[in-house]
Amino acid sequence: MGVMAMPSKEVLIFTKQIRHWIIGDENISGKKRFIFREDTPKEILDLYNSIKSKLSFVY
């Protein structure tokens, strides 16, 4: 039986606060480029920009 690792703080933030605002994505070299809703608050976009470098699945 394997041990499950806890997700990073950034992954939790992405899942709980940011994912709701995403309407689509594109695969680029095995990573995702997300498309946000037009009415996404600036605070959410700023939060995403501040953590995206720590998300291994983001382009």
Side-chain angles (χ1 to χ4, degrees):
M1 176 184 262
V3 176
M4 292 184 66
M6 291 294 294
S8 69
K9 178 178 95 173
E10 291 80 17
V11 169
L12 290 174
I13 290 170
F14 179 84
T15 303
K16 292 180 179 182
Q17 298 180 42
I18 298 171
R19 189 173 62 181
H20 166 76
W21 297 99
I22 295 172
I23 59 171
D25 62 67
E26 300 174 334
N27 281 319
I28 301 172
S29 301
K31 294 193 176 197
K32 300 280 188 184
R33 178 181 168 268
F34 295 108
I35 302 164
F36 287 86
R37 292 179 10 194
E38 286 188 31
D39 62 341
T40 303
K42 182 179 181 323
E43 295 81 23
I44 296 296
L45 296 173
D46 290 344
L47 179 59
Y48 173 71
N49 284 323
S50 73
I51 67 167
K52 73 179 179 180
S53 65
K54 296 181 179 159
L55 300 171
S56 62
F57 54 88
V58 174
Y59 176 75

Short mmCIF file of all heavy atoms in Angstrom, two decimals:
data_model
loop_
_atom_site.label_atom_id
_atom_site.label_comp_id
_atom_site.label_asym_id
_atom_site.label_seq_id
_atom_site.Cartn_x
_atom_site.Cartn_y
_atom_site.Cartn_z
N MET A 1 0.84 -1.17 0.00
CA MET A 1 0.00 0.00 0.00
C MET A 1 0.89 1.24 0.00
O MET A 1 1.79 1.36 0.80
CB MET A 1 -0.90 -0.03 1.23
CG MET A 1 -1.74 1.21 1.37
SD MET A 1 -2.71 1.21 2.89
CE MET A 1 -4.24 0.63 2.25
N GLY A 2 0.62 2.18 -0.92
CA GLY A 2 1.42 3.40 -1.03
C GLY A 2 0.95 4.46 -0.06
O GLY A 2 -0.16 4.45 0.44
N VAL A 3 1.83 5.39 0.19
CA VAL A 3 1.52 6.52 1.06
C VAL A 3 1.13 7.70 0.17
O VAL A 3 1.83 8.03 -0.77
CB VAL A 3 2.74 6.89 1.93
CG1 VAL A 3 2.46 8.12 2.75
CG2 VAL A 3 3.14 5.72 2.80
N MET A 4 0.02 8.32 0.48
CA MET A 4 -0.42 9.48 -0.29
C MET A 4 0.23 10.74 0.28
O MET A 4 0.23 10.96 1.48
CB MET A 4 -1.94 9.63 -0.23
CG MET A 4 -2.65 8.52 -0.95
SD MET A 4 -4.44 8.77 -0.97
CE MET A 4 -4.57 10.22 -1.98
N ALA A 5 0.80 11.53 -0.61
CA ALA A 5 1.43 12.78 -0.18
C ALA A 5 0.36 13.87 -0.07
O ALA A 5 -0.60 13.90 -0.83
CB ALA A 5 2.49 13.20 -1.19
N MET A 6 0.56 14.76 0.87
CA MET A 6 -0.34 15.90 1.01
C MET A 6 -0.06 16.89 -0.11
O MET A 6 1.11 17.11 -0.46
CB MET A 6 -0.11 16.58 2.36
CG MET A 6 -0.55 15.77 3.55
SD MET A 6 -2.33 15.53 3.60
CE MET A 6 -2.91 17.18 3.85
N PRO A 7 -1.10 17.49 -0.68
CA PRO A 7 -0.87 18.50 -1.72
C PRO A 7 -0.20 19.74 -1.12
O PRO A 7 -0.38 20.04 0.06
CB PRO A 7 -2.27 18.82 -2.23
CG PRO A 7 -3.20 18.35 -1.18
CD PRO A 7 -2.51 17.27 -0.41
N SER A 8 0.53 20.43 -1.96
CA SER A 8 1.19 21.65 -1.49
C SER A 8 0.16 22.74 -1.18
O SER A 8 -1.00 22.67 -1.61
CB SER A 8 2.16 22.17 -2.56
OG SER A 8 1.43 22.66 -3.67
N LYS A 9 0.60 23.74 -0.47
CA LYS A 9 -0.26 24.88 -0.14
C LYS A 9 -0.78 25.53 -1.42
O LYS A 9 -1.95 25.90 -1.50
CB LYS A 9 0.54 25.90 0.70
CG LYS A 9 -0.23 27.15 1.05
CD LYS A 9 0.60 28.07 1.91
CE LYS A 9 1.29 29.08 1.03
NZ LYS A 9 1.99 30.12 1.77
N GLU A 10 0.07 25.63 -2.44
CA GLU A 10 -0.33 26.26 -3.70
C GLU A 10 -1.41 25.45 -4.42
O GLU A 10 -2.33 26.02 -5.00
CB GLU A 10 0.90 26.45 -4.60
CG GLU A 10 1.88 27.49 -4.10
CD GLU A 10 2.81 26.98 -2.99
OE1 GLU A 10 2.93 25.75 -2.81
OE2 GLU A 10 3.41 27.83 -2.31
N VAL A 11 -1.28 24.13 -4.39
CA VAL A 11 -2.29 23.28 -5.02
C VAL A 11 -3.63 23.43 -4.30
O VAL A 11 -4.69 23.50 -4.93
CB VAL A 11 -1.84 21.80 -5.05
CG1 VAL A 11 -2.99 20.88 -5.47
CG2 VAL A 11 -0.66 21.62 -6.00
N LEU A 12 -3.61 23.52 -2.99
CA LEU A 12 -4.84 23.72 -2.23
C LEU A 12 -5.48 25.06 -2.56
O LEU A 12 -6.70 25.16 -2.73
CB LEU A 12 -4.57 23.61 -0.73
CG LEU A 12 -4.23 22.21 -0.23
CD1 LEU A 12 -3.84 22.25 1.24
CD2 LEU A 12 -5.38 21.25 -0.45
N ILE A 13 -4.67 26.11 -2.66
CA ILE A 13 -5.18 27.44 -3.02
C ILE A 13 -5.81 27.38 -4.41
O ILE A 13 -6.90 27.89 -4.64
CB ILE A 13 -4.06 28.49 -2.96
CG1 ILE A 13 -3.65 28.75 -1.52
CG2 ILE A 13 -4.50 29.80 -3.64
CD1 ILE A 13 -2.40 29.58 -1.36
N PHE A 14 -5.10 26.75 -5.35
CA PHE A 14 -5.61 26.62 -6.71
C PHE A 14 -6.96 25.90 -6.72
O PHE A 14 -7.91 26.36 -7.35
CB PHE A 14 -4.60 25.87 -7.59
CG PHE A 14 -5.07 25.67 -8.99
CD1 PHE A 14 -4.91 26.67 -9.93
CD2 PHE A 14 -5.68 24.49 -9.37
CE1 PHE A 14 -5.36 26.50 -11.23
CE2 PHE A 14 -6.14 24.31 -10.66
CZ PHE A 14 -5.98 25.32 -11.60
N THR A 15 -7.02 24.79 -6.01
CA THR A 15 -8.24 23.96 -5.99
C THR A 15 -9.41 24.67 -5.33
O THR A 15 -10.53 24.64 -5.84
CB THR A 15 -7.96 22.63 -5.27
OG1 THR A 15 -6.87 21.98 -5.93
CG2 THR A 15 -9.17 21.73 -5.28
N LYS A 16 -9.16 25.33 -4.21
CA LYS A 16 -10.25 25.91 -3.43
C LYS A 16 -10.67 27.31 -3.88
O LYS A 16 -11.82 27.69 -3.72
CB LYS A 16 -9.87 25.95 -1.95
CG LYS A 16 -9.78 24.56 -1.35
CD LYS A 16 -9.41 24.62 0.10
CE LYS A 16 -9.36 23.21 0.69
NZ LYS A 16 -9.05 23.24 2.12
N GLN A 17 -9.74 28.10 -4.42
CA GLN A 17 -10.04 29.50 -4.70
C GLN A 17 -10.01 29.88 -6.18
O GLN A 17 -10.69 30.82 -6.59
CB GLN A 17 -9.07 30.41 -3.94
CG GLN A 17 -9.18 30.26 -2.44
CD GLN A 17 -8.19 31.18 -1.74
OE1 GLN A 17 -8.01 32.32 -2.12
NE2 GLN A 17 -7.55 30.66 -0.71
N ILE A 18 -9.22 29.17 -6.97
CA ILE A 18 -8.98 29.61 -8.35
C ILE A 18 -9.72 28.76 -9.38
O ILE A 18 -10.27 29.30 -10.35
CB ILE A 18 -7.46 29.62 -8.64
CG1 ILE A 18 -6.78 30.61 -7.71
CG2 ILE A 18 -7.18 29.94 -10.11
CD1 ILE A 18 -5.28 30.57 -7.73
N ARG A 19 -9.78 27.47 -9.19
CA ARG A 19 -10.34 26.56 -10.20
C ARG A 19 -11.76 26.95 -10.62
O ARG A 19 -12.13 26.80 -11.79
CB ARG A 19 -10.30 25.12 -9.67
CG ARG A 19 -10.67 24.10 -10.73
CD ARG A 19 -10.47 22.72 -10.25
NE ARG A 19 -11.35 22.47 -9.11
CZ ARG A 19 -11.40 21.34 -8.45
NH1 ARG A 19 -10.60 20.36 -8.78
NH2 ARG A 19 -12.22 21.19 -7.44
N HIS A 20 -12.55 27.46 -9.71
CA HIS A 20 -13.93 27.87 -10.00
C HIS A 20 -13.99 28.90 -11.13
O HIS A 20 -14.98 28.95 -11.87
CB HIS A 20 -14.54 28.45 -8.72
CG HIS A 20 -15.81 29.21 -8.94
ND1 HIS A 20 -17.02 28.59 -9.19
CD2 HIS A 20 -16.07 30.54 -8.99
CE1 HIS A 20 -17.95 29.52 -9.37
NE2 HIS A 20 -17.40 30.71 -9.24
N TRP A 21 -12.98 29.71 -11.28
CA TRP A 21 -12.98 30.80 -12.27
C TRP A 21 -12.48 30.38 -13.64
O TRP A 21 -12.51 31.17 -14.58
CB TRP A 21 -12.13 31.95 -11.75
CG TRP A 21 -12.70 32.54 -10.50
CD1 TRP A 21 -12.31 32.28 -9.21
CD2 TRP A 21 -13.79 33.44 -10.40
NE1 TRP A 21 -13.10 32.98 -8.34
CE2 TRP A 21 -14.02 33.70 -9.03
CE3 TRP A 21 -14.61 34.07 -11.34
CZ2 TRP A 21 -15.02 34.55 -8.59
CZ3 TRP A 21 -15.61 34.92 -10.90
CH2 TRP A 21 -15.80 35.15 -9.55
N ILE A 22 -12.04 29.13 -13.79
CA ILE A 22 -11.48 28.65 -15.05
C ILE A 22 -12.59 28.06 -15.92
O ILE A 22 -13.39 27.25 -15.46
CB ILE A 22 -10.38 27.60 -14.78
CG1 ILE A 22 -9.22 28.28 -14.05
CG2 ILE A 22 -9.93 26.92 -16.06
CD1 ILE A 22 -8.17 27.33 -13.55
N ILE A 23 -12.62 28.49 -17.18
CA ILE A 23 -13.63 27.98 -18.11
C ILE A 23 -13.06 27.01 -19.14
O ILE A 23 -13.80 26.35 -19.85
CB ILE A 23 -14.38 29.11 -18.82
CG1 ILE A 23 -13.42 30.00 -19.62
CG2 ILE A 23 -15.20 29.92 -17.83
CD1 ILE A 23 -14.12 31.01 -20.51
N GLY A 24 -11.75 26.94 -19.23
CA GLY A 24 -11.13 26.05 -20.20
C GLY A 24 -9.63 26.00 -20.00
O GLY A 24 -9.07 26.70 -19.16
N ASP A 25 -9.00 25.12 -20.78
CA ASP A 25 -7.54 25.03 -20.74
C ASP A 25 -7.02 24.50 -22.06
O ASP A 25 -7.77 23.96 -22.86
CB ASP A 25 -7.08 24.14 -19.57
CG ASP A 25 -7.58 22.70 -19.70
OD1 ASP A 25 -7.14 22.00 -20.63
OD2 ASP A 25 -8.40 22.30 -18.86
N GLU A 26 -5.73 24.72 -22.27
CA GLU A 26 -5.02 24.21 -23.44
C GLU A 26 -3.82 23.43 -22.96
O GLU A 26 -3.18 23.82 -21.98
CB GLU A 26 -4.52 25.36 -24.32
CG GLU A 26 -5.59 26.28 -24.84
CD GLU A 26 -5.00 27.48 -25.58
OE1 GLU A 26 -3.85 27.87 -25.28
OE2 GLU A 26 -5.70 28.01 -26.45
N ASN A 27 -3.50 22.33 -23.62
CA ASN A 27 -2.29 21.58 -23.30
C ASN A 27 -1.14 22.12 -24.13
O ASN A 27 -1.24 22.22 -25.35
CB ASN A 27 -2.46 20.09 -23.59
CG ASN A 27 -3.23 19.39 -22.51
OD1 ASN A 27 -3.04 19.64 -21.35
ND2 ASN A 27 -4.12 18.50 -22.91
N ILE A 28 -0.06 22.48 -23.47
CA ILE A 28 1.15 22.97 -24.13
C ILE A 28 2.32 22.20 -23.53
O ILE A 28 2.63 22.37 -22.35
CB ILE A 28 1.34 24.49 -23.93
CG1 ILE A 28 0.14 25.25 -24.49
CG2 ILE A 28 2.64 24.95 -24.57
CD1 ILE A 28 0.14 26.73 -24.18
N SER A 29 2.93 21.35 -24.32
CA SER A 29 4.08 20.56 -23.87
C SER A 29 3.78 19.79 -22.58
O SER A 29 4.59 19.75 -21.67
CB SER A 29 5.31 21.44 -23.68
OG SER A 29 5.64 22.10 -24.87
N GLY A 30 2.58 19.24 -22.49
CA GLY A 30 2.21 18.44 -21.33
C GLY A 30 1.78 19.23 -20.10
O GLY A 30 1.52 18.66 -19.05
N LYS A 31 1.70 20.54 -20.24
CA LYS A 31 1.26 21.38 -19.13
C LYS A 31 0.01 22.14 -19.56
O LYS A 31 -0.33 22.18 -20.72
CB LYS A 31 2.36 22.35 -18.70
CG LYS A 31 3.55 21.62 -18.11
CD LYS A 31 4.47 22.57 -17.43
CE LYS A 31 5.60 21.78 -16.76
NZ LYS A 31 6.28 22.58 -15.78
N LYS A 32 -0.67 22.75 -18.61
CA LYS A 32 -1.93 23.43 -18.87
C LYS A 32 -1.75 24.95 -18.92
O LYS A 32 -1.02 25.51 -18.13
CB LYS A 32 -2.95 23.13 -17.78
CG LYS A 32 -3.30 21.68 -17.62
CD LYS A 32 -4.30 21.27 -18.65
CE LYS A 32 -4.77 19.84 -18.35
NZ LYS A 32 -5.67 19.37 -19.35
N ARG A 33 -2.43 25.55 -19.85
CA ARG A 33 -2.59 27.01 -19.90
C ARG A 33 -4.08 27.24 -19.68
O ARG A 33 -4.91 26.76 -20.45
CB ARG A 33 -2.18 27.58 -21.24
CG ARG A 33 -2.38 29.07 -21.32
CD ARG A 33 -1.97 29.62 -22.69
NE ARG A 33 -2.43 30.98 -22.82
CZ ARG A 33 -3.59 31.33 -23.35
NH1 ARG A 33 -4.41 30.42 -23.83
NH2 ARG A 33 -3.95 32.59 -23.41
N PHE A 34 -4.44 27.93 -18.62
CA PHE A 34 -5.83 28.08 -18.24
C PHE A 34 -6.46 29.33 -18.84
O PHE A 34 -5.81 30.36 -19.01
CB PHE A 34 -5.96 28.12 -16.71
CG PHE A 34 -5.55 26.82 -16.09
CD1 PHE A 34 -4.37 26.71 -15.39
CD2 PHE A 34 -6.35 25.70 -16.22
CE1 PHE A 34 -3.98 25.51 -14.82
CE2 PHE A 34 -5.97 24.49 -15.66
CZ PHE A 34 -4.80 24.40 -14.96
N ILE A 35 -7.75 29.22 -19.14
CA ILE A 35 -8.54 30.32 -19.66
C ILE A 35 -9.56 30.68 -18.58
O ILE A 35 -10.35 29.84 -18.16
CB ILE A 35 -9.25 29.91 -20.97
CG1 ILE A 35 -8.19 29.46 -21.99
CG2 ILE A 35 -10.10 31.05 -21.50
CD1 ILE A 35 -8.75 28.68 -23.15
N PHE A 36 -9.51 31.93 -18.14
CA PHE A 36 -10.36 32.39 -17.05
C PHE A 36 -11.62 33.06 -17.57
O PHE A 36 -11.63 33.61 -18.68
CB PHE A 36 -9.59 33.38 -16.16
CG PHE A 36 -8.55 32.72 -15.31
CD1 PHE A 36 -7.27 32.47 -15.79
CD2 PHE A 36 -8.85 32.34 -14.01
CE1 PHE A 36 -6.32 31.86 -15.00
CE2 PHE A 36 -7.90 31.73 -13.21
CZ PHE A 36 -6.64 31.49 -13.70
N ARG A 37 -12.68 33.02 -16.76
CA ARG A 37 -13.91 33.72 -17.09
C ARG A 37 -13.62 35.21 -17.21
O ARG A 37 -12.72 35.73 -16.54
CB ARG A 37 -14.95 33.50 -15.99
CG ARG A 37 -15.44 32.10 -15.91
CD ARG A 37 -16.44 31.82 -14.83
NE ARG A 37 -16.99 32.96 -14.13
CZ ARG A 37 -17.66 32.88 -13.00
NH1 ARG A 37 -17.84 31.70 -12.42
NH2 ARG A 37 -18.15 33.95 -12.42
N GLU A 38 -14.39 35.89 -18.03
CA GLU A 38 -14.18 37.33 -18.23
C GLU A 38 -14.41 38.14 -16.96
O GLU A 38 -13.81 39.20 -16.78
CB GLU A 38 -15.09 37.85 -19.34
CG GLU A 38 -14.62 37.44 -20.72
CD GLU A 38 -15.42 38.11 -21.82
OE1 GLU A 38 -15.89 39.25 -21.61
OE2 GLU A 38 -15.57 37.49 -22.87
N ASP A 39 -15.27 37.65 -16.08
CA ASP A 39 -15.59 38.40 -14.86
C ASP A 39 -14.74 37.98 -13.66
O ASP A 39 -15.07 38.28 -12.52
CB ASP A 39 -17.07 38.28 -14.52
CG ASP A 39 -17.51 36.84 -14.24
OD1 ASP A 39 -16.81 35.90 -14.65
OD2 ASP A 39 -18.58 36.66 -13.62
N THR A 40 -13.61 37.32 -13.93
CA THR A 40 -12.73 36.89 -12.85
C THR A 40 -12.17 38.13 -12.14
O THR A 40 -11.60 39.01 -12.79
CB THR A 40 -11.56 36.04 -13.39
OG1 THR A 40 -12.10 34.92 -14.09
CG2 THR A 40 -10.66 35.55 -12.27
N PRO A 41 -12.31 38.20 -10.81
CA PRO A 41 -11.78 39.35 -10.08
C PRO A 41 -10.25 39.46 -10.20
O PRO A 41 -9.55 38.44 -10.29
CB PRO A 41 -12.17 39.07 -8.63
CG PRO A 41 -13.25 38.06 -8.69
CD PRO A 41 -13.01 37.27 -9.93
N LYS A 42 -9.76 40.67 -10.21
CA LYS A 42 -8.32 40.92 -10.30
C LYS A 42 -7.57 40.22 -9.17
O LYS A 42 -6.47 39.72 -9.37
CB LYS A 42 -8.04 42.42 -10.27
CG LYS A 42 -6.56 42.75 -10.40
CD LYS A 42 -6.35 44.25 -10.39
CE LYS A 42 -4.91 44.67 -10.54
NZ LYS A 42 -3.90 43.88 -9.92
N GLU A 43 -8.17 40.14 -7.99
CA GLU A 43 -7.53 39.48 -6.85
C GLU A 43 -7.26 38.00 -7.14
O GLU A 43 -6.24 37.46 -6.73
CB GLU A 43 -8.40 39.60 -5.59
CG GLU A 43 -8.58 41.01 -5.09
CD GLU A 43 -9.66 41.79 -5.86
OE1 GLU A 43 -10.57 41.17 -6.47
OE2 GLU A 43 -9.59 43.03 -5.86
N ILE A 44 -8.18 37.35 -7.85
CA ILE A 44 -8.01 35.93 -8.19
C ILE A 44 -6.89 35.79 -9.22
O ILE A 44 -6.04 34.90 -9.10
CB ILE A 44 -9.33 35.32 -8.71
CG1 ILE A 44 -10.39 35.33 -7.62
CG2 ILE A 44 -9.11 33.92 -9.28
CD1 ILE A 44 -10.08 34.48 -6.41
N LEU A 45 -6.87 36.66 -10.21
CA LEU A 45 -5.81 36.60 -11.22
C LEU A 45 -4.44 36.88 -10.59
O LEU A 45 -3.45 36.22 -10.92
CB LEU A 45 -6.10 37.60 -12.35
CG LEU A 45 -7.36 37.31 -13.16
CD1 LEU A 45 -7.63 38.45 -14.13
CD2 LEU A 45 -7.27 35.98 -13.88
N ASP A 46 -4.40 37.84 -9.68
CA ASP A 46 -3.14 38.14 -8.98
C ASP A 46 -2.70 36.95 -8.13
O ASP A 46 -1.52 36.62 -8.10
CB ASP A 46 -3.29 39.38 -8.10
CG ASP A 46 -3.44 40.66 -8.90
OD1 ASP A 46 -3.13 40.66 -10.12
OD2 ASP A 46 -3.88 41.67 -8.31
N LEU A 47 -3.65 36.33 -7.45
CA LEU A 47 -3.34 35.16 -6.64
C LEU A 47 -2.79 34.04 -7.51
O LEU A 47 -1.77 33.42 -7.19
CB LEU A 47 -4.59 34.69 -5.88
CG LEU A 47 -4.45 33.46 -5.02
CD1 LEU A 47 -3.40 33.65 -3.93
CD2 LEU A 47 -5.80 33.08 -4.41
N TYR A 48 -3.44 33.79 -8.65
CA TYR A 48 -2.97 32.76 -9.58
C TYR A 48 -1.55 33.08 -10.06
O TYR A 48 -0.68 32.20 -10.05
CB TYR A 48 -3.93 32.64 -10.77
CG TYR A 48 -3.41 31.72 -11.83
CD1 TYR A 48 -3.37 30.35 -11.64
CD2 TYR A 48 -2.94 32.21 -13.04
CE1 TYR A 48 -2.89 29.50 -12.61
CE2 TYR A 48 -2.46 31.38 -14.02
CZ TYR A 48 -2.43 30.02 -13.80
OH TYR A 48 -1.94 29.18 -14.77
N ASN A 49 -1.32 34.31 -10.46
CA ASN A 49 0.01 34.69 -10.94
C ASN A 49 1.08 34.54 -9.86
O ASN A 49 2.22 34.24 -10.17
CB ASN A 49 0.00 36.11 -11.50
CG ASN A 49 -0.63 36.16 -12.87
OD1 ASN A 49 -0.45 35.25 -13.67
ND2 ASN A 49 -1.39 37.19 -13.13
N SER A 50 0.69 34.71 -8.61
CA SER A 50 1.67 34.60 -7.52
C SER A 50 2.04 33.15 -7.19
O SER A 50 3.10 32.91 -6.62
CB SER A 50 1.16 35.32 -6.27
OG SER A 50 0.12 34.59 -5.65
N ILE A 51 1.17 32.19 -7.55
CA ILE A 51 1.47 30.79 -7.21
C ILE A 51 1.77 29.91 -8.41
O ILE A 51 2.26 28.80 -8.25
CB ILE A 51 0.32 30.14 -6.39
CG1 ILE A 51 -0.94 30.00 -7.24
CG2 ILE A 51 0.07 30.90 -5.11
CD1 ILE A 51 -2.00 29.11 -6.64
N LYS A 52 1.52 30.37 -9.63
CA LYS A 52 1.62 29.48 -10.78
C LYS A 52 3.02 28.91 -11.00
O LYS A 52 3.14 27.80 -11.48
CB LYS A 52 1.08 30.15 -12.05
CG LYS A 52 1.95 31.21 -12.65
CD LYS A 52 1.29 31.75 -13.91
CE LYS A 52 2.10 32.83 -14.54
NZ LYS A 52 1.47 33.34 -15.76
N SER A 53 4.05 29.61 -10.60
CA SER A 53 5.41 29.08 -10.78
C SER A 53 5.67 27.88 -9.86
O SER A 53 6.58 27.10 -10.10
CB SER A 53 6.45 30.17 -10.51
OG SER A 53 6.40 30.56 -9.15
N LYS A 54 4.83 27.70 -8.85
CA LYS A 54 4.99 26.58 -7.92
C LYS A 54 4.06 25.42 -8.25
O LYS A 54 4.07 24.41 -7.54
CB LYS A 54 4.76 27.06 -6.50
CG LYS A 54 5.81 28.07 -6.08
CD LYS A 54 5.62 28.55 -4.69
CE LYS A 54 6.74 29.54 -4.38
NZ LYS A 54 6.42 30.42 -3.29
N LEU A 55 3.28 25.55 -9.31
CA LEU A 55 2.37 24.49 -9.75
C LEU A 55 3.02 23.74 -10.89
O LEU A 55 3.22 24.32 -11.97
CB LEU A 55 1.03 25.07 -10.16
CG LEU A 55 0.26 25.84 -9.08
CD1 LEU A 55 -0.94 26.56 -9.70
CD2 LEU A 55 -0.16 24.92 -7.95
N SER A 56 3.34 22.50 -10.71
CA SER A 56 4.07 21.74 -11.73
C SER A 56 3.26 21.47 -12.99
O SER A 56 3.83 21.17 -14.04
CB SER A 56 4.53 20.40 -11.13
OG SER A 56 3.42 19.62 -10.75
N PHE A 57 1.95 21.60 -12.93
CA PHE A 57 1.10 21.30 -14.08
C PHE A 57 0.72 22.51 -14.92
O PHE A 57 -0.03 22.42 -15.86
CB PHE A 57 -0.18 20.58 -13.61
CG PHE A 57 -0.93 21.32 -12.54
CD1 PHE A 57 -1.88 22.27 -12.88
CD2 PHE A 57 -0.70 21.07 -11.21
CE1 PHE A 57 -2.59 22.95 -11.91
CE2 PHE A 57 -1.40 21.74 -10.22
CZ PHE A 57 -2.34 22.68 -10.57
N VAL A 58 1.27 23.68 -14.57
CA VAL A 58 0.91 24.93 -15.25
C VAL A 58 2.01 25.35 -16.20
O VAL A 58 3.19 25.29 -15.89
CB VAL A 58 0.65 26.04 -14.20
CG1 VAL A 58 0.43 27.38 -14.88
CG2 VAL A 58 -0.56 25.68 -13.36
N TYR A 59 1.58 25.83 -17.39
CA TYR A 59 2.52 26.33 -18.39
C TYR A 59 2.91 27.75 -18.08
O TYR A 59 2.16 28.56 -17.67
CB TYR A 59 1.86 26.27 -19.78
CG TYR A 59 2.70 26.84 -20.88
CD1 TYR A 59 3.79 26.14 -21.36
CD2 TYR A 59 2.43 28.08 -21.41
CE1 TYR A 59 4.58 26.65 -22.37
CE2 TYR A 59 3.21 28.60 -22.43
CZ TYR A 59 4.28 27.89 -22.90
OH TYR A 59 5.04 28.41 -23.90
#
